[in-house]
Amino acid sequence: MVFRTRRLAGASVAVAAATALVAGCATGSGGSTSGADGDTLTLWTHNAGNSTELDVVKKIIKDFNGSQSKYKVKLQAFPQSDYNNSVVAAASARKLPCLLDVDGPNVANWAWGGYLAPIDVSGSEVPLSDQLPSTVGRYKDKVYGFGFYDVSLAFFARKSVLNENDIRIPTMDKPWTKTEFDAALAKLKKSGKFTYPLEMGTGGTGEWWSYAYSPQLQSFGGDLVNRDGYKTASGTLDGKKSVEWATWFRSLVAKGYMSKKSGADPNKDFLAGKSAIQWDGSWNATKNADKLGDDLAIIPPVDFGRGPKIGGASWQWAMSSSCSNKDGAQAWLKFSRQTKYFVDYAKATGTLPGTEATAKQIDGYQPGGKFNELVQFARKYAEVRPVTPAYPYISTEFEKAAQDILSGADPENALGQAAKDIDNNLKTNNYNAG
């Protein structure tokens, strides 16, 4: 999986953010202040090496600095692979910048750890209520971050291939059921025309596993953790419905429908005709449409019993708790919340516009546009990953269990061990209290 181009929320969670959980509530709060030298505020972003998005950040900073004389924002960009490590280290040393971006799934972890302060962006040009719900980061009923975009998962296929195999093209009003989906894969396998009928990016690593597959688990009726208090995964992650998902997930490999480990570029393989159906993201919609034209089918997620589900939340902007000039930081945050910047982000990154007003200005995403379904998927189907400081650890354990299951591990045992490890971690951290 190519994280850099996929704009996947949580793509760089891994060990660094898990370390934040272990560090506890005191890591980023109290003691000294930082992030500002008088009225000059430092801003950190993960976009070094991603010039298209970085240019938008630079534009907002330049416009803000030129719009008034009281504050000046100074940029520091990090490669995405190093970003979380840098934040964790700076928080431990109480040297966080005033402004920083944060992966949506990490908001609760960083707020709980004391890295972030709640923000007030009331009076902005774009109200928070206008945004896709998944683009606003909340923890304990307070707003800690907001993003300008999201991404959406979908199935992509060729209409001609589905028609040739007498497979119904689903709609949002009538998505595929599990029975239909399994029957479609069986037909495509029997045709003998594809290396694998289904491509779901199983060669990916890190957050892709939770982002891509936990919505299917949730559609079965399971989940990563019991969301009623977030105090246990046992009985949920290893519950009956979760085991049903895992058994089905492994059967995709056992039946030859899907590779245990896909190639380096799953989308390229799909466009080359090696697979018939691809579970992928909105980041490749334009490329697919350019290649396949009107033959491209953008298909909603399967309803495995509890409704179609996809992941939600991507990168968001936040203010550190140790910022010594919070008025200046919030002034920049409010200034950035202009529709024109939402438009700039969407055009530059190929991501889903964060508001309906933005979508109307982006070719293909406006109502009736060829990609508007992707926006509707995000509005209707997005399931925000568990809003708990423990999420990075939960995600890592789920990835390990799911990979083991595809390699032949017993689903009940693998999920049971993951649930037990998550429960131990929650208990060690006092269930993330305080």
Side-chain angles (χ1 to χ4, degrees), residues 198-228:
L198 178 64
E199 172 57 75
M200 289 216 295
T202 51
T205 57
E207 185 61 15
W208 171 247
W209 283 74
S210 293
Y211 180 73
Y213 311 131
S214 68
Q216 296 173 345
L217 163 75
Q218 291 154 353
S219 184
F220 266 82
D223 207 343
L224 297 171
V225 65
N226 186 333
R227 299 197 187 211
D228 183 11

Side-chain angles (χ1 to χ4, degrees), residues 174-189:
K174 193 177 179 183
W176 276 328
T177 63
K178 177 182 180 296
T179 299
E180 279 187 289
F181 187 49
D182 289 346
L185 295 177
K187 285 182 178 180
L188 293 165
K189 176 68 176 177

Side-chain angles (χ1 to χ4, degrees), residues 96-348:
L96 281 172
C98 270
L99 295 158
L100 67 165
D101 55 9
V102 52
D103 243 338
N106 280 351
V107 168
N109 181 281
W110 289 9
W112 169 81
Y115 298 11
L116 308 179
I119 59 173
D120 177 8
V121 291
S122 57
S124 304
E125 178 181 309
V126 178
L128 288 172
S129 58
D130 284 3
Q131 292 195 218
L132 287 170
S134 58
T135 63
V136 180
R138 290 183 169 89
Y139 178 60
K140 291 189 174 181
D141 299 323
K142 294 181 180 179
V143 175
Y144 282 88
F146 65 84
F148 289 86
Y149 54 77
D150 204 348
V151 289
S152 174
L153 284 165
F155 285 108
F156 294 106
R158 290 170 172 81
K159 295 175 184 176
S160 56
V161 168
L162 299 181
N163 290 332
E164 286 167 12
N165 289 274
D166 194 27
I167 297 170
R168 180 179 69 87
I169 299 175
T171 63
M172 289 187 71
D173 290 334
K174 193 177 179 183
W176 276 328
T177 63
K178 177 182 180 296
T179 299
E180 279 187 289
F181 187 49
D182 289 346
L185 295 177
K187 285 182 178 180
L188 293 165
K189 176 68 176 177
K190 189 176 180 180
S191 75
K193 294 182 179 180
F194 306 98
T195 306
Y196 292 99
L198 178 64
E199 172 57 75
M200 289 216 295
T202 51
T205 57
E207 185 61 15
W208 171 247
W209 283 74
S210 293
Y211 180 73
Y213 311 131
S214 68
Q216 296 173 345
L217 163 75
Q218 291 154 353
S219 184
F220 266 82
D223 207 343
L224 297 171
V225 65
N226 186 333
R227 299 197 187 211
D228 183 11
Y230 296 103
K231 291 187 176 181
T232 180
S234 294
T236 301
L237 181 55
D238 59 351
K240 180 182 177 181
K241 294 299 182 181
S242 296
V243 173
E244 285 180 12
W245 163 79
T247 302
W248 170 82
F249 191 53
R250 189 173 71 172
S251 77
L252 297 175
V253 172
K255 293 178 179 178
Y257 295 164
M258 177 181 78
S259 172
K260 182 174 72 174
K261 185 176 182 179
S262 59
D265 192 338
N267 185 243
K268 183 178 180 180
D269 290 342
F270 165 69
L271 291 177
K274 292 182 180 180
S275 55
I277 301 172
Q278 186 190 12
W279 182 234
D280 197 13
S282 52
W283 47 83
N284 277 324
T286 299
K287 183 192 296 185
N288 291 347
D290 289 345
K291 174 78 173 181
L292 303 179
D294 291 339
D295 196 28
L296 175 66
I298 299 176
I299 298 171
V302 174
D303 181 354
F304 289 105
R306 297 292 181 91
K309 306 284 186 184
I310 61 172
S314 194
W315 287 90
Q316 301 175 3
W317 287 102
M319 175 177 67
S320 73
S321 60
S322 58
C323 176
S324 59
N325 195 334
K326 290 184 172 62
D327 288 344
Q330 294 198 126
W332 185 85
L333 290 169
K334 288 183 180 181
F335 178 88
S336 73
R337 297 183 52 76
Q338 299 181 48
T339 295
K340 64 181 180 181
Y341 297 132
F342 280 81
V343 171
D344 288 342
Y345 269 108
K347 287 183 176 179

